[in-house]
Amino acid sequence: MVPLPLPAGSRPSKSRCQTMKTVAAEIAPEMYDCILIAVDGSDEARRAARRGLHLARAFDATVTVLSVVERKALKLTETSAEEAKLRERGERALTEIEEVASELGQSVTTTLTEGKPAVRISEYAVEQDADLIVVGRQGLTGLGRRLLGGVTEQVLHRSDVPVFVVPGEGADGAIEADYSRVLVTTDGSENADAAIPHGTAIARRYDSDVHVLNVVDIQAAGGVFHAGGLETEFVERLDARGQATVDSAASKIEDAAPALSVTTAVERTTSFEGVAAGVREYVQNHDIDLVVMGSHGRSNLRRQLIGSVASTVLRTVDVPVLVVKPSD
């Protein structure tokens, strides 16, 4: 385990990931050279870590496992023993992942730090020049609705590094990585296009069938009071626009990886949940193993995600979701 990292705002001269990335770039370009896995000792985090380690092996990537001792919790401690117990919990979480990594033959570097978890995870990803952050997602609540963990959602809001979110309790129980069917969603925007190289790279590594989906949101197109009453020609134009969008995305995938099998689909939805409902139904109906999608970036206020499609999909599907933001 490495010592506590430098304080926020300061950076080491060159991280292990940066060093390995320089070497890898001289050999062959990779989508993921350095993966950051964030853990907190929970079952969800352990499940996510195992997925992240499998992904690292597929891409021959270096791995840093990070555990953050929440500074707010440290301030509430009254004795040095209580503070030590918090740190021991973080160290134990890291040790668990080290053991799993050893079983898989994957070397890892572990780091224990302190601060606000989402902030430190996002900052550390930048400090380490990580290409991907892997985090877990909480499962079912008592009300039967799916919620993201608070830290996971904040990381999605803050980080410009792609985030790989792994479902926890309530998912299908599979731990071994199997991405036979990868779904790339698109609406033709620059944000959606940012996800295409990531979906392509993973599909190439796992020899996956790629599905490219555009969802036509009838409610959004016609308004609540016109749902189901739109002119046939208008709906057909929406379908045609969607087909052009998926065809364009499919062409980019086929140009980059001609050997991949690519299927395109345009699906309509009248659900009040909009596009997310169409994505969820497609995932269920086609046994999708991984969803790759773009987010709508960040607003200037509170760095929140603009739009709710990615956020809603994350809450309602039982497969991993990779969320990608467009490069600045």
Side-chain angles (χ1 to χ4, degrees):
M1 187 177 301
V2 301
L4 290 176
L6 296 172
S10 60
R11 297 186 183 181
S13 57
K14 201 168 190 180
S15 71
R16 178 171 179 265
C17 282
Q18 290 167 331
T19 301
M20 295 302 294
K21 187 174 289 191
T22 300
V23 174
E26 295 173 353
I27 301 172
E30 299 286 351
M31 179 59 69
Y32 307 121
D33 294 318
C34 178
I35 295 176
L36 174 63
I37 301 174
V39 298
D40 60 6
S42 67
D43 291 340
E44 292 85 3
R46 283 189 287 271
R47 180 186 180 87
R50 186 175 286 273
R51 286 276 188 161
L53 291 168
H54 277 284
L55 197 63
R57 290 189 65 193
F59 281 89
D60 194 23
T62 60
V63 177
T64 296
V65 186
L66 178 69
S67 180
V68 182
V69 180
E70 190 165 5
R71 188 166 292 158
K72 182 178 179 181
L74 287 173
K75 290 181 178 179
L76 293 175
T77 60
E78 296 181 352
T79 66
S80 58
E82 290 179 346
E83 182 176 330
K85 189 173 183 179
L86 284 177
R87 295 185 184 279
E88 287 171 4
R89 185 182 303 167
E91 290 171 353
R92 188 162 56 250
L94 293 173
T95 299
E96 289 175 347
I97 306 308
E98 282 182 309
E99 293 173 354
V100 174
S102 178
E103 293 173 5
L104 297 176
Q106 173 67 47
S107 63
V108 299
T109 297
T110 60
T111 299
L112 180 68
T113 185
E114 64 179 59
K116 187 175 181 180
V119 174
R120 283 303 295 139
I121 292 168
S122 302
E123 290 176 343
Y124 202 70
V126 174
E127 292 167 11
Q128 296 297 302
D129 198 20
D131 304 300
L132 187 70
I133 299 172
V134 178
V135 291
R137 188 202 75 187
Q138 291 178 353
L140 287 169
T141 69
L143 296 178
R145 295 184 61 83
R146 302 198 179 281
L147 298 173
L148 288 176
V151 172
T152 299
E153 191 155 21
Q154 290 172 40
V155 170
L156 285 161
H157 291 165
R158 297 187 62 89
S159 178
D160 289 324
V161 177
V163 181
F164 191 93
V165 182
V166 180
E169 183 182 354
D172 60 11
I175 294 179
E176 299 299 323
D178 177 14
Y179 306 121
S180 299
R181 291 167 293 278
V182 173
L183 173 63
V184 178
T185 67
T186 181
D187 60 6
S189 67
E190 180 182 349
N191 297 318
D193 283 351
I196 294 175
H198 292 264
T200 303
I202 291 175
R204 289 179 65 178
R205 291 289 171 173
Y206 290 90
D207 193 24
S208 315
D209 292 332
V210 182
H211 295 243
V212 183
L213 173 68
N214 174 266
V215 178
V216 176
D217 186 350
I218 301 298
Q219 293 282 8
V224 175
F225 299 106
H226 293 88
L230 297 177
E231 293 290 338
T232 300
E233 291 184 0
F234 178 68
V235 175
E236 289 176 348
R237 284 199 300 272
L238 293 177
D239 288 343
R241 185 183 302 170
Q243 189 62 53
T245 297
V246 295
D247 287 345
S248 175
S251 294
K252 294 174 183 177
I253 295 170
E254 290 165 346
D255 288 344
L260 290 179
S261 171
V262 182
T263 300
T264 63
V266 177
E267 302 286 343
R268 300 176 188 172
T269 182
T270 57
S271 170
F272 288 107
E273 290 183 321
V275 172
V279 174
R280 181 179 66 247
E281 291 173 6
Y282 194 91
V283 168
Q284 295 171 344
N285 294 337
H286 294 82
D287 294 325
I288 297 299
D289 301 303
L290 170 67
V291 179
V292 183
M293 63 192 309
S295 80
H296 290 276
R298 297 176 306 190
S299 67
N300 292 326
L301 293 176
R302 300 178 61 191
R303 300 167 69 90
Q304 297 295 305
L305 287 175
I306 305 171
S308 60
V309 175
S311 183
T312 304
V313 168
L314 282 162
R315 286 176 168 87
T316 56
V317 299
D318 282 329
V319 298
V321 179
L322 173 56
V323 181
V324 182
K325 292 181 183 177
S327 302
D328 292 337

mmCIF file of all heavy atoms in Angstrom, residues 53-98:
data_model
loop_
_atom_site.group_PDB
_atom_site.id
_atom_site.type_symbol
_atom_site.label_atom_id
_atom_site.label_comp_id
_atom_site.label_asym_id
_atom_site.label_seq_id
_atom_site.Cartn_x
_atom_site.Cartn_y
_atom_site.Cartn_z
ATOM 1 N N LEU A 53 -11.162 -5.150 -12.497
ATOM 2 C CA LEU A 53 -9.943 -5.933 -12.651
ATOM 3 C C LEU A 53 -9.998 -6.795 -13.910
ATOM 4 O O LEU A 53 -8.991 -6.937 -14.626
ATOM 5 C CB LEU A 53 -9.733 -6.813 -11.413
ATOM 6 C CG LEU A 53 -9.392 -6.058 -10.122
ATOM 7 C CD1 LEU A 53 -9.486 -6.991 -8.923
ATOM 8 C CD2 LEU A 53 -8.005 -5.437 -10.210
ATOM 9 N N HIS A 54 -11.158 -7.373 -14.184
ATOM 10 C CA HIS A 54 -11.315 -8.146 -15.424
ATOM 11 C C HIS A 54 -11.111 -7.242 -16.643
ATOM 12 O O HIS A 54 -10.460 -7.633 -17.625
ATOM 13 C CB HIS A 54 -12.706 -8.777 -15.481
ATOM 14 C CG HIS A 54 -12.817 -10.065 -14.734
ATOM 15 N ND1 HIS A 54 -12.304 -11.252 -15.209
ATOM 16 C CD2 HIS A 54 -13.385 -10.373 -13.535
ATOM 17 C CE1 HIS A 54 -12.540 -12.235 -14.353
ATOM 18 N NE2 HIS A 54 -13.200 -11.720 -13.319
ATOM 19 N N LEU A 55 -11.657 -6.048 -16.586
ATOM 20 C CA LEU A 55 -11.520 -5.115 -17.707
ATOM 21 C C LEU A 55 -10.056 -4.725 -17.888
ATOM 22 O O LEU A 55 -9.562 -4.623 -19.020
ATOM 23 C CB LEU A 55 -12.381 -3.876 -17.446
ATOM 24 C CG LEU A 55 -12.681 -2.980 -18.652
ATOM 25 C CD1 LEU A 55 -13.492 -3.734 -19.696
ATOM 26 C CD2 LEU A 55 -13.451 -1.737 -18.199
ATOM 27 N N ALA A 56 -9.362 -4.508 -16.780
ATOM 28 C CA ALA A 56 -7.947 -4.156 -16.849
ATOM 29 C C ALA A 56 -7.132 -5.257 -17.512
ATOM 30 O O ALA A 56 -6.219 -4.994 -18.309
ATOM 31 C CB ALA A 56 -7.417 -3.863 -15.446
ATOM 32 N N ARG A 57 -7.460 -6.509 -17.187
ATOM 33 C CA ARG A 57 -6.756 -7.636 -17.805
ATOM 34 C C ARG A 57 -7.001 -7.658 -19.308
ATOM 35 O O ARG A 57 -6.090 -7.929 -20.102
ATOM 36 C CB ARG A 57 -7.206 -8.951 -17.195
ATOM 37 C CG ARG A 57 -6.742 -9.165 -15.761
ATOM 38 C CD ARG A 57 -7.033 -10.577 -15.302
ATOM 39 N NE ARG A 57 -6.258 -11.557 -16.056
ATOM 40 C CZ ARG A 57 -6.487 -12.859 -16.045
ATOM 41 N NH1 ARG A 57 -7.499 -13.349 -15.343
ATOM 42 N NH2 ARG A 57 -5.735 -13.682 -16.737
ATOM 43 N N ALA A 58 -8.235 -7.377 -19.717
ATOM 44 C CA ALA A 58 -8.562 -7.390 -21.150
ATOM 45 C C ALA A 58 -7.785 -6.332 -21.911
ATOM 46 O O ALA A 58 -7.414 -6.542 -23.075
ATOM 47 C CB ALA A 58 -10.062 -7.185 -21.337
ATOM 48 N N PHE A 59 -7.533 -5.192 -21.268
ATOM 49 C CA PHE A 59 -6.841 -4.084 -21.934
ATOM 50 C C PHE A 59 -5.369 -3.991 -21.536
ATOM 51 O O PHE A 59 -4.678 -3.066 -21.963
ATOM 52 C CB PHE A 59 -7.545 -2.760 -21.618
ATOM 53 C CG PHE A 59 -8.780 -2.520 -22.413
ATOM 54 C CD1 PHE A 59 -10.017 -2.969 -21.960
ATOM 55 C CD2 PHE A 59 -8.727 -1.868 -23.637
ATOM 56 C CE1 PHE A 59 -11.169 -2.757 -22.698
ATOM 57 C CE2 PHE A 59 -9.875 -1.655 -24.387
ATOM 58 C CZ PHE A 59 -11.093 -2.102 -23.918
ATOM 59 N N ASP A 60 -4.912 -4.930 -20.711
ATOM 60 C CA ASP A 60 -3.538 -4.895 -20.221
ATOM 61 C C ASP A 60 -3.240 -3.532 -19.590
ATOM 62 O O ASP A 60 -2.205 -2.910 -19.852
ATOM 63 C CB ASP A 60 -2.546 -5.182 -21.361
ATOM 64 C CG ASP A 60 -1.145 -5.488 -20.840
ATOM 65 O OD1 ASP A 60 -1.038 -5.909 -19.673
ATOM 66 O OD2 ASP A 60 -0.172 -5.272 -21.588
ATOM 67 N N ALA A 61 -4.164 -3.077 -18.764
ATOM 68 C CA ALA A 61 -4.063 -1.756 -18.147
ATOM 69 C C ALA A 61 -3.482 -1.846 -16.743
ATOM 70 O O ALA A 61 -3.601 -2.864 -16.058
ATOM 71 C CB ALA A 61 -5.449 -1.104 -18.084
ATOM 72 N N THR A 62 -2.857 -0.762 -16.308
ATOM 73 C CA THR A 62 -2.446 -0.660 -14.918
ATOM 74 C C THR A 62 -3.662 -0.295 -14.078
ATOM 75 O O THR A 62 -4.613 0.302 -14.571
ATOM 76 C CB THR A 62 -1.369 0.412 -14.719
ATOM 77 O OG1 THR A 62 -1.879 1.680 -15.133
ATOM 78 C CG2 THR A 62 -0.128 0.086 -15.538
ATOM 79 N N VAL A 63 -3.638 -0.657 -12.802
ATOM 80 C CA VAL A 63 -4.785 -0.429 -11.925
ATOM 81 C C VAL A 63 -4.345 0.246 -10.631
ATOM 82 O O VAL A 63 -3.381 -0.194 -9.987
ATOM 83 C CB VAL A 63 -5.499 -1.753 -11.576
ATOM 84 C CG1 VAL A 63 -6.645 -1.492 -10.587
ATOM 85 C CG2 VAL A 63 -6.034 -2.433 -12.834
ATOM 86 N N THR A 64 -5.055 1.294 -10.262
ATOM 87 C CA THR A 64 -4.905 1.904 -8.951
ATOM 88 C C THR A 64 -6.225 1.741 -8.213
ATOM 89 O O THR A 64 -7.285 2.057 -8.756
ATOM 90 C CB THR A 64 -4.561 3.403 -9.054
ATOM 91 O OG1 THR A 64 -3.289 3.560 -9.680
ATOM 92 C CG2 THR A 64 -4.501 4.032 -7.666
ATOM 93 N N VAL A 65 -6.155 1.225 -6.997
ATOM 94 C CA VAL A 65 -7.353 1.050 -6.166
ATOM 95 C C VAL A 65 -7.305 2.110 -5.073
ATOM 96 O O VAL A 65 -6.322 2.223 -4.338
ATOM 97 C CB VAL A 65 -7.426 -0.353 -5.554
ATOM 98 C CG1 VAL A 65 -8.753 -0.534 -4.817
ATOM 99 C CG2 VAL A 65 -7.264 -1.423 -6.631
ATOM 100 N N LEU A 66 -8.364 2.885 -4.978
ATOM 101 C CA LEU A 66 -8.397 4.029 -4.064
ATOM 102 C C LEU A 66 -9.509 3.870 -3.040
ATOM 103 O O LEU A 66 -10.643 3.522 -3.375
ATOM 104 C CB LEU A 66 -8.637 5.317 -4.859
ATOM 105 C CG LEU A 66 -8.755 6.619 -4.056
ATOM 106 C CD1 LEU A 66 -7.414 6.990 -3.438
ATOM 107 C CD2 LEU A 66 -9.272 7.747 -4.941
ATOM 108 N N SER A 67 -9.172 4.126 -1.778
ATOM 109 C CA SER A 67 -10.172 4.190 -0.720
ATOM 110 C C SER A 67 -10.032 5.538 -0.028
ATOM 111 O O SER A 67 -8.915 5.965 0.279
ATOM 112 C CB SER A 67 -9.970 3.051 0.289
ATOM 113 O OG SER A 67 -10.951 3.118 1.312
ATOM 114 N N VAL A 68 -11.152 6.199 0.188
ATOM 115 C CA VAL A 68 -11.139 7.541 0.779
ATOM 116 C C VAL A 68 -11.783 7.505 2.157
ATOM 117 O O VAL A 68 -12.944 7.111 2.296
ATOM 118 C CB VAL A 68 -11.897 8.550 -0.121
ATOM 119 C CG1 VAL A 68 -11.823 9.957 0.482
ATOM 120 C CG2 VAL A 68 -11.325 8.543 -1.534
ATOM 121 N N VAL A 69 -11.032 7.912 3.154
ATOM 122 C CA VAL A 69 -11.584 8.073 4.494
ATOM 123 C C VAL A 69 -12.246 9.449 4.537
ATOM 124 O O VAL A 69 -11.585 10.463 4.309
ATOM 125 C CB VAL A 69 -10.490 8.000 5.572
ATOM 126 C CG1 VAL A 69 -11.114 8.165 6.959
ATOM 127 C CG2 VAL A 69 -9.743 6.683 5.473
ATOM 128 N N GLU A 70 -13.538 9.463 4.777
ATOM 129 C CA GLU A 70 -14.277 10.720 4.715
ATOM 130 C C GLU A 70 -13.828 11.662 5.825
ATOM 131 O O GLU A 70 -13.860 11.328 7.006
ATOM 132 C CB GLU A 70 -15.774 10.465 4.812
ATOM 133 C CG GLU A 70 -16.607 11.701 4.507
ATOM 134 C CD GLU A 70 -18.059 11.371 4.243
ATOM 135 O OE1 GLU A 70 -18.431 10.196 4.384
ATOM 136 O OE2 GLU A 70 -18.801 12.289 3.886
ATOM 137 N N ARG A 71 -13.412 12.846 5.428
ATOM 138 C CA ARG A 71 -12.892 13.813 6.393
ATOM 139 C C ARG A 71 -13.959 14.223 7.399
ATOM 140 O O ARG A 71 -13.664 14.472 8.573
ATOM 141 C CB ARG A 71 -12.363 15.041 5.654
ATOM 142 C CG ARG A 71 -11.624 16.047 6.537
ATOM 143 C CD ARG A 71 -10.867 17.031 5.678
ATOM 144 N NE ARG A 71 -9.763 16.372 4.988
ATOM 145 C CZ ARG A 71 -9.202 16.847 3.862
ATOM 146 N NH1 ARG A 71 -9.691 17.933 3.299
ATOM 147 N NH2 ARG A 71 -8.193 16.208 3.316
ATOM 148 N N LYS A 72 -15.201 14.274 6.942
ATOM 149 C CA LYS A 72 -16.293 14.630 7.848
ATOM 150 C C LYS A 72 -16.394 13.616 8.981
ATOM 151 O O LYS A 72 -16.626 13.978 10.143
ATOM 152 C CB LYS A 72 -17.607 14.691 7.066
ATOM 153 C CG LYS A 72 -18.805 15.105 7.884
ATOM 154 C CD LYS A 72 -20.052 15.182 7.006
ATOM 155 C CE LYS A 72 -21.270 15.570 7.813
ATOM 156 N NZ LYS A 72 -22.493 15.627 6.959
ATOM 157 N N ALA A 73 -16.223 12.336 8.641
ATOM 158 C CA ALA A 73 -16.281 11.292 9.660
ATOM 159 C C ALA A 73 -15.099 11.408 10.611
ATOM 160 O O ALA A 73 -15.227 11.187 11.824
ATOM 161 C CB ALA A 73 -16.304 9.916 9.002
ATOM 162 N N LEU A 74 -13.924 11.745 10.082
ATOM 163 C CA LEU A 74 -12.746 11.902 10.933
ATOM 164 C C LEU A 74 -12.943 13.009 11.964
ATOM 165 O O LEU A 74 -12.507 12.902 13.113
ATOM 166 C CB LEU A 74 -11.511 12.201 10.074
ATOM 167 C CG LEU A 74 -10.939 11.038 9.262
ATOM 168 C CD1 LEU A 74 -9.842 11.529 8.332
ATOM 169 C CD2 LEU A 74 -10.399 9.945 10.184
ATOM 170 N N LYS A 75 -13.605 14.085 11.557
ATOM 171 C CA LYS A 75 -13.824 15.210 12.463
ATOM 172 C C LYS A 75 -14.755 14.837 13.611
ATOM 173 O O LYS A 75 -14.735 15.468 14.668
ATOM 174 C CB LYS A 75 -14.400 16.397 11.689
ATOM 175 C CG LYS A 75 -13.397 17.049 10.746
ATOM 176 C CD LYS A 75 -14.028 18.233 10.017
ATOM 177 C CE LYS A 75 -13.002 18.906 9.108
ATOM 178 N NZ LYS A 75 -13.597 20.055 8.350
ATOM 179 N N LEU A 76 -15.586 13.812 13.379
ATOM 180 C CA LEU A 76 -16.533 13.407 14.412
ATOM 181 C C LEU A 76 -15.909 12.459 15.431
ATOM 182 O O LEU A 76 -16.515 12.174 16.468
ATOM 183 C CB LEU A 76 -17.750 12.733 13.767
ATOM 184 C CG LEU A 76 -18.642 13.639 12.900
ATOM 185 C CD1 LEU A 76 -19.741 12.816 12.227
ATOM 186 C CD2 LEU A 76 -19.259 14.756 13.729
ATOM 187 N N THR A 77 -14.718 11.961 15.128
ATOM 188 C CA THR A 77 -14.071 11.060 16.080
ATOM 189 C C THR A 77 -13.598 11.849 17.299
ATOM 190 O O THR A 77 -13.214 13.012 17.201
ATOM 191 C CB THR A 77 -12.870 10.349 15.434
ATOM 192 O OG1 THR A 77 -11.913 11.320 15.001
ATOM 193 C CG2 THR A 77 -13.324 9.513 14.256
ATOM 194 N N GLU A 78 -13.608 11.183 18.456
ATOM 195 C CA GLU A 78 -13.216 11.843 19.706
ATOM 196 C C GLU A 78 -11.896 11.312 20.254
ATOM 197 O O GLU A 78 -11.277 11.952 21.108
ATOM 198 C CB GLU A 78 -14.319 11.661 20.755
ATOM 199 C CG GLU A 78 -15.638 12.331 20.364
ATOM 200 C CD GLU A 78 -16.715 12.158 21.429
ATOM 201 O OE1 GLU A 78 -16.472 11.388 22.385
ATOM 202 O OE2 GLU A 78 -17.767 12.796 21.300
ATOM 203 N N THR A 79 -11.460 10.167 19.769
ATOM 204 C CA THR A 79 -10.206 9.599 20.244
ATOM 205 C C THR A 79 -9.361 9.136 19.061
ATOM 206 O O THR A 79 -9.869 8.923 17.950
ATOM 207 C CB THR A 79 -10.460 8.392 21.172
ATOM 208 O OG1 THR A 79 -11.051 7.333 20.396
ATOM 209 C CG2 THR A 79 -11.397 8.775 22.319
ATOM 210 N N SER A 80 -8.075 8.971 19.313
ATOM 211 C CA SER A 80 -7.180 8.480 18.269
ATOM 212 C C SER A 80 -7.545 7.052 17.878
ATOM 213 O O SER A 80 -7.352 6.636 16.734
ATOM 214 C CB SER A 80 -5.736 8.541 18.751
ATOM 215 O OG SER A 80 -5.565 7.773 19.939
ATOM 216 N N ALA A 81 -8.115 6.303 18.827
ATOM 217 C CA ALA A 81 -8.522 4.921 18.529
ATOM 218 C C ALA A 81 -9.666 4.904 17.521
ATOM 219 O O ALA A 81 -9.698 4.062 16.615
ATOM 220 C CB ALA A 81 -8.940 4.214 19.817
ATOM 221 N N GLU A 82 -10.623 5.826 17.684
ATOM 222 C CA GLU A 82 -11.739 5.899 16.739
ATOM 223 C C GLU A 82 -11.237 6.297 15.353
ATOM 224 O O GLU A 82 -11.694 5.762 14.335
ATOM 225 C CB GLU A 82 -12.771 6.911 17.239
ATOM 226 C CG GLU A 82 -13.538 6.454 18.471
ATOM 227 C CD GLU A 82 -14.524 7.501 18.947
ATOM 228 O OE1 GLU A 82 -14.425 8.660 18.498
ATOM 229 O OE2 GLU A 82 -15.401 7.170 19.767
ATOM 230 N N GLU A 83 -10.290 7.232 15.313
ATOM 231 C CA GLU A 83 -9.730 7.651 14.029
ATOM 232 C C GLU A 83 -8.981 6.501 13.366
ATOM 233 O O GLU A 83 -9.101 6.268 12.158
ATOM 234 C CB GLU A 83 -8.786 8.836 14.250
ATOM 235 C CG GLU A 83 -8.184 9.366 12.957
ATOM 236 C CD GLU A 83 -7.334 10.602 13.192
ATOM 237 O OE1 GLU A 83 -7.626 11.365 14.133
ATOM 238 O OE2 GLU A 83 -6.369 10.800 12.426
ATOM 239 N N ALA A 84 -8.227 5.769 14.168
ATOM 240 C CA ALA A 84 -7.483 4.629 13.633
ATOM 241 C C ALA A 84 -8.422 3.572 13.081
ATOM 242 O O ALA A 84 -8.129 2.921 12.072
ATOM 243 C CB ALA A 84 -6.599 4.034 14.727
ATOM 244 N N LYS A 85 -9.560 3.398 13.729
ATOM 245 C CA LYS A 85 -10.533 2.407 13.274
ATOM 246 C C LYS A 85 -11.075 2.754 11.891
ATOM 247 O O LYS A 85 -11.266 1.880 11.050
ATOM 248 C CB LYS A 85 -11.678 2.310 14.284
ATOM 249 C CG LYS A 85 -12.632 1.154 14.025
ATOM 250 C CD LYS A 85 -13.641 1.015 15.144
ATOM 251 C CE LYS A 85 -14.560 -0.186 14.918
ATOM 252 N NZ LYS A 85 -15.544 -0.344 16.020
ATOM 253 N N LEU A 86 -11.310 4.049 11.662
ATOM 254 C CA LEU A 86 -11.780 4.478 10.343
ATOM 255 C C LEU A 86 -10.735 4.181 9.280
ATOM 256 O O LEU A 86 -11.051 3.705 8.183
ATOM 257 C CB LEU A 86 -12.106 5.970 10.360
ATOM 258 C CG LEU A 86 -13.411 6.396 11.025
ATOM 259 C CD1 LEU A 86 -13.525 7.921 11.022
ATOM 260 C CD2 LEU A 86 -14.612 5.783 10.330
ATOM 261 N N ARG A 87 -9.491 4.475 9.581
ATOM 262 C CA ARG A 87 -8.423 4.227 8.617
ATOM 263 C C ARG A 87 -8.234 2.721 8.379
ATOM 264 O O ARG A 87 -7.982 2.294 7.256
ATOM 265 C CB ARG A 87 -7.121 4.852 9.103
ATOM 266 C CG ARG A 87 -7.182 6.378 9.179
ATOM 267 C CD ARG A 87 -5.841 6.969 9.544
ATOM 268 N NE ARG A 87 -5.942 8.402 9.700
ATOM 269 C CZ ARG A 87 -5.928 9.280 8.695
ATOM 270 N NH1 ARG A 87 -5.840 8.816 7.449
ATOM 271 N NH2 ARG A 87 -6.019 10.570 8.908
ATOM 272 N N GLU A 88 -8.371 1.942 9.450
ATOM 273 C CA GLU A 88 -8.243 0.488 9.302
ATOM 274 C C GLU A 88 -9.330 -0.070 8.390
ATOM 275 O O GLU A 88 -9.088 -1.017 7.630
ATOM 276 C CB GLU A 88 -8.323 -0.175 10.679
ATOM 277 C CG GLU A 88 -7.078 0.038 11.532
ATOM 278 C CD GLU A 88 -7.263 -0.445 12.963
ATOM 279 O OE1 GLU A 88 -8.351 -1.013 13.235
ATOM 280 O OE2 GLU A 88 -6.354 -0.245 13.781
ATOM 281 N N ARG A 89 -10.506 0.518 8.470
ATOM 282 C CA ARG A 89 -11.593 0.066 7.604
ATOM 283 C C ARG A 89 -11.228 0.305 6.132
ATOM 284 O O ARG A 89 -11.459 -0.557 5.277
ATOM 285 C CB ARG A 89 -12.876 0.820 7.953
ATOM 286 C CG ARG A 89 -14.101 0.356 7.188
ATOM 287 C CD ARG A 89 -15.308 1.201 7.557
ATOM 288 N NE ARG A 89 -15.570 1.155 9.001
ATOM 289 C CZ ARG A 89 -16.391 1.988 9.623
ATOM 290 N NH1 ARG A 89 -17.025 2.923 8.951
ATOM 291 N NH2 ARG A 89 -16.577 1.881 10.935
ATOM 292 N N GLY A 90 -10.648 1.466 5.843
ATOM 293 C CA GLY A 90 -10.216 1.756 4.480
ATOM 294 C C GLY A 90 -9.102 0.834 4.032
ATOM 295 O O GLY A 90 -9.094 0.345 2.890
ATOM 296 N N GLU A 91 -8.145 0.567 4.934
ATOM 297 C CA GLU A 91 -7.041 -0.324 4.605
ATOM 298 C C GLU A 91 -7.551 -1.749 4.352
ATOM 299 O O GLU A 91 -7.061 -2.452 3.459
ATOM 300 C CB GLU A 91 -6.022 -0.322 5.738
ATOM 301 C CG GLU A 91 -5.265 0.995 5.854
ATOM 302 C CD GLU A 91 -4.425 1.071 7.104
ATOM 303 O OE1 GLU A 91 -4.533 0.138 7.946
ATOM 304 O OE2 GLU A 91 -3.661 2.036 7.246
ATOM 305 N N ARG A 92 -8.537 -2.156 5.136
ATOM 306 C CA ARG A 92 -9.106 -3.490 4.964
ATOM 307 C C ARG A 92 -9.798 -3.619 3.604
ATOM 308 O O ARG A 92 -9.701 -4.661 2.935
ATOM 309 C CB ARG A 92 -10.094 -3.773 6.094
ATOM 310 C CG ARG A 92 -10.588 -5.206 6.124
ATOM 311 C CD ARG A 92 -11.207 -5.570 7.474
ATOM 312 N NE ARG A 92 -12.286 -4.659 7.849
ATOM 313 C CZ ARG A 92 -12.217 -3.776 8.838
ATOM 314 N NH1 ARG A 92 -11.105 -3.657 9.553
ATOM 315 N NH2 ARG A 92 -13.249 -3.006 9.138
ATOM 316 N N ALA A 93 -10.486 -2.556 3.183
ATOM 317 C CA ALA A 93 -11.146 -2.565 1.873
ATOM 318 C C ALA A 93 -10.121 -2.723 0.758
ATOM 319 O O ALA A 93 -10.348 -3.458 -0.220
ATOM 320 C CB ALA A 93 -11.947 -1.277 1.683
ATOM 321 N N LEU A 94 -8.979 -2.053 0.897
ATOM 322 C CA LEU A 94 -7.928 -2.154 -0.110
ATOM 323 C C LEU A 94 -7.298 -3.546 -0.118
ATOM 324 O O LEU A 94 -7.022 -4.114 -1.177
ATOM 325 C CB LEU A 94 -6.854 -1.096 0.145
ATOM 326 C CG LEU A 94 -7.290 0.360 -0.045
ATOM 327 C CD1 LEU A 94 -6.186 1.312 0.407
ATOM 328 C CD2 LEU A 94 -7.656 0.630 -1.500
ATOM 329 N N THR A 95 -7.084 -4.098 1.063
ATOM 330 C CA THR A 95 -6.486 -5.430 1.168
ATOM 331 C C THR A 95 -7.374 -6.483 0.502
ATOM 332 O O THR A 95 -6.874 -7.397 -0.172
ATOM 333 C CB THR A 95 -6.257 -5.802 2.640
ATOM 334 O OG1 THR A 95 -5.359 -4.857 3.233
ATOM 335 C CG2 THR A 95 -5.667 -7.202 2.774
ATOM 336 N N GLU A 96 -8.678 -6.355 0.682
ATOM 337 C CA GLU A 96 -9.611 -7.291 0.049
ATOM 338 C C GLU A 96 -9.447 -7.294 -1.460
ATOM 339 O O GLU A 96 -9.449 -8.355 -2.102
ATOM 340 C CB GLU A 96 -11.051 -6.924 0.407
ATOM 341 C CG GLU A 96 -11.432 -7.201 1.850
ATOM 342 C CD GLU A 96 -12.828 -6.711 2.180
ATOM 343 O OE1 GLU A 96 -13.395 -5.952 1.368
ATOM 344 O OE2 GLU A 96 -13.356 -7.096 3.238
ATOM 345 N N ILE A 97 -9.308 -6.113 -2.039
ATOM 346 C CA ILE A 97 -9.174 -6.025 -3.498
ATOM 347 C C ILE A 97 -7.804 -6.513 -3.946
ATOM 348 O O ILE A 97 -7.678 -7.125 -5.017
ATOM 349 C CB ILE A 97 -9.431 -4.586 -3.984
ATOM 350 C CG1 ILE A 97 -10.786 -4.090 -3.464
ATOM 351 C CG2 ILE A 97 -9.392 -4.526 -5.512
ATOM 352 C CD1 ILE A 97 -11.949 -5.025 -3.746
ATOM 353 N N GLU A 98 -6.778 -6.269 -3.132
ATOM 354 C CA GLU A 98 -5.456 -6.802 -3.455
ATOM 355 C C GLU A 98 -5.504 -8.323 -3.560
ATOM 356 O O GLU A 98 -4.879 -8.923 -4.450
ATOM 357 C CB GLU A 98 -4.440 -6.399 -2.383
ATOM 358 C CG GLU A 98 -3.950 -4.967 -2.490
ATOM 359 C CD GLU A 98 -2.905 -4.652 -1.428
ATOM 360 O OE1 GLU A 98 -3.176 -4.928 -0.244
ATOM 361 O OE2 GLU A 98 -1.834 -4.138 -1.803
#
